[in-house]
Amino acid sequence: MVASEATPYAKTGGLADVIGALPVALASRGEQVAVVMPLYREAAPLLDGAARAYDSLPVQLGTAPWNVNVRSVENRGVTFYFVERPDLYDRPELYTEAGADYPDNHIRYGVLCHAALAVAKRLFRPDVIHYHDWQASLCAPLMRVHLAGDPTYYGIKLLLTIHNLGYQGLFPASSLTDLGLDRNLFHPGALEFHGSVNLLKGGIVYADAINTVSRKYAEEIQTHEYGFGLEGLLQSRSADLHGIVNGVDYSEWSPECDRYIAHHYSAEDLSGKRECKADLLRTFGLPADNVGRPLIGMVSRFVSQKGFDWIEEIAGELVREDVAIVAIGSGESRYEQMFRDLAAAHPDRVAIRIGYSNEIAHKIEAGSDIFLMPSRYEPCGLNQIYSLRFGTVPVVRATGGLDDTIDESTGFKFEECSGTALLTAIRAALVAFRDRTRWLSIIQAGMNKDFSWNASAAAYSALYRQLGG
């Protein structure tokens, strides 16, 4: 696997959770798995004593040498290879700084892809190179075009996983020269996209198979609404396009063993959930008498993609309901300010934390009654799956993985893209909350769902073998 991040070494989002868990699940099924990723600054403290797998591994982008060192560690049966190049990866953030993309991101991830193919040649010869998102997509045209005459790569299959089609790796046409790519690749049938270089497009064109992280999202990205300009290309590859829902790591996200929550509980004994709710209220500084009210929790980026314009639209009506609300996240300033204003106007029932805390995210999952996730689109989503296991009932829009993982027995969904539809779904959940028997049946149905990585790993194993013929 080739990816730009993986837990516990570096994380900005769900991709890291997948690369931290899926390879381990595959290894437990008997697969031999290696992961190639950059050695970022935040990963360095975890790599004391890492083996030096290769010093001065040759990497050439055009006329420029970008030789790298490769370090390796074994993690639960998986070999992680770290591409070490401090001038590229030893930086404060992974992709951006002060809100702007690093201008040399094409070089940084071009080097990663070149290095990954060199690892495949010299250190770990795979049957499948499974590359993730735009940052790793250059692996495909490099192998299929630039290295087409190298017998090392004969028979190796290429699988692309698209975690979010909204991020495509768009760079100026001049970046072809920086990357040492043949100008013949700059045409609509390869990497050219409205005058720019589109690295994800190259990953799609040259892949043997493509998958997304839910069945519904695999369908959605072939439409104009969700295709971000690549829907025609994806329609042409529909026979090779698959959807496999992400799994979750229940050793980290389960009320029976969670190290962050005030009291453990289970589907058989829910008594600890009320203590977790009281602890969550204390954490956010809300009065204890809210323990009897339905408590709505959110853990999210505060952006329109996550439906926050709809939340803004209904905020006034929502706070007139007999509810308490807690949220943690950051994003667009207008939505951060919206929550600050709500909390200032209703300090007894609304509280907000700007930023992110893993501990508080766990507390919200355990202590909330309802988890709000009204995304415009959501390739898979993990928080709604965490919520099911914690007995916290999701209210979601019926899109992507949200639609695949939530049904009428475990949560509440709405279709229409509007604040009105969202408010209707929330009110339906509040009606159910007041019917204790019905509410407990919804909680129990959700807690008994199994979205562990075992099923996802089995689906990936089957896809690998399908690729191998």
Side-chain angles (χ1 to χ4, degrees), residues 69-87:
N69 296 326
V70 179
R71 299 171 68 181
S72 68
V73 297
E74 296 292 320
N75 183 344
R76 296 179 290 172
V78 178
T79 303
F80 281 78
Y81 291 107
F82 294 89
V83 179
E84 184 178 28
R85 180 82 195 201
D87 56 337

Side-chain angles (χ1 to χ4, degrees), residues 159 207-211 234 236-242 463 466:
L159 171 63
D208 292 298
I210 306 142
N211 85 283
L234 289 162
S236 75
R237 299 298 311 271
S238 61
D240 306 312
L241 182 56
H242 309 265
L463 182 52
Q466 180 182 328

Side-chain angles (χ1 to χ4, degrees), residues 82-252:
F82 294 89
V83 179
E84 184 178 28
R85 180 82 195 201
D87 56 337
L88 294 180
Y89 307 123
D90 185 10
R91 300 185 183 181
E93 304 292 340
L94 270 59
Y95 312 118
T96 64
E97 192 168 355
D101 290 347
Y102 289 121
D104 61 345
N105 271 347
H106 61 303
I107 297 290
R108 300 172 75 224
Y109 296 105
V111 168
L112 171 67
C113 294
H114 275 275
L117 292 173
V119 166
K121 181 173 184 174
R122 300 167 189 264
L123 297 173
F124 185 103
R125 192 185 190 285
D127 299 300
V128 176
I129 294 177
H130 183 174
Y131 54 103
H132 297 258
D133 279 349
W134 74 261
Q135 293 91 341
S137 283
L138 195 59
C139 286
L142 286 175
M143 194 184 95
R144 289 284 183 243
V145 180
H146 283 255
L147 298 172
D150 189 333
T152 301
Y153 304 100
Y154 291 176
I156 295 178
K157 299 299 184 180
L158 293 169
L159 171 63
L160 165 64
T161 295
I162 300 171
H163 296 261
N164 190 332
L165 190 66
Y167 301 94
Q168 298 181 4
L170 296 173
F171 297 95
S174 59
S175 64
L176 279 175
T177 303
D178 297 338
L179 293 168
L181 296 176
D182 193 315
R183 290 289 302 181
N184 290 332
L185 288 172
F186 193 68
H187 65 86
L191 274 68
E192 191 272 335
F193 185 76
H194 302 295
S196 296
V197 169
N198 186 322
L199 296 181
L200 183 65
K201 182 181 178 183
I204 295 169
V205 168
Y206 292 100
D208 292 298
I210 306 142
N211 85 283
T212 66
V213 290
S214 70
R215 292 179 295 276
K216 182 70 173 285
Y217 192 58
E219 299 168 4
E220 289 176 337
I221 61 175
Q222 297 178 67
T223 68
H224 175 72
E225 184 178 3
Y226 299 101
F228 291 95
L230 294 178
E231 59 272 14
L233 173 61
L234 289 162
Q235 289 166 15
S236 75
R237 299 298 311 271
S238 61
D240 306 312
L241 182 56
H242 309 265
I244 300 175
V245 175
N246 282 341
V248 299
D249 185 352
Y250 287 131
S251 69
E252 287 289 323

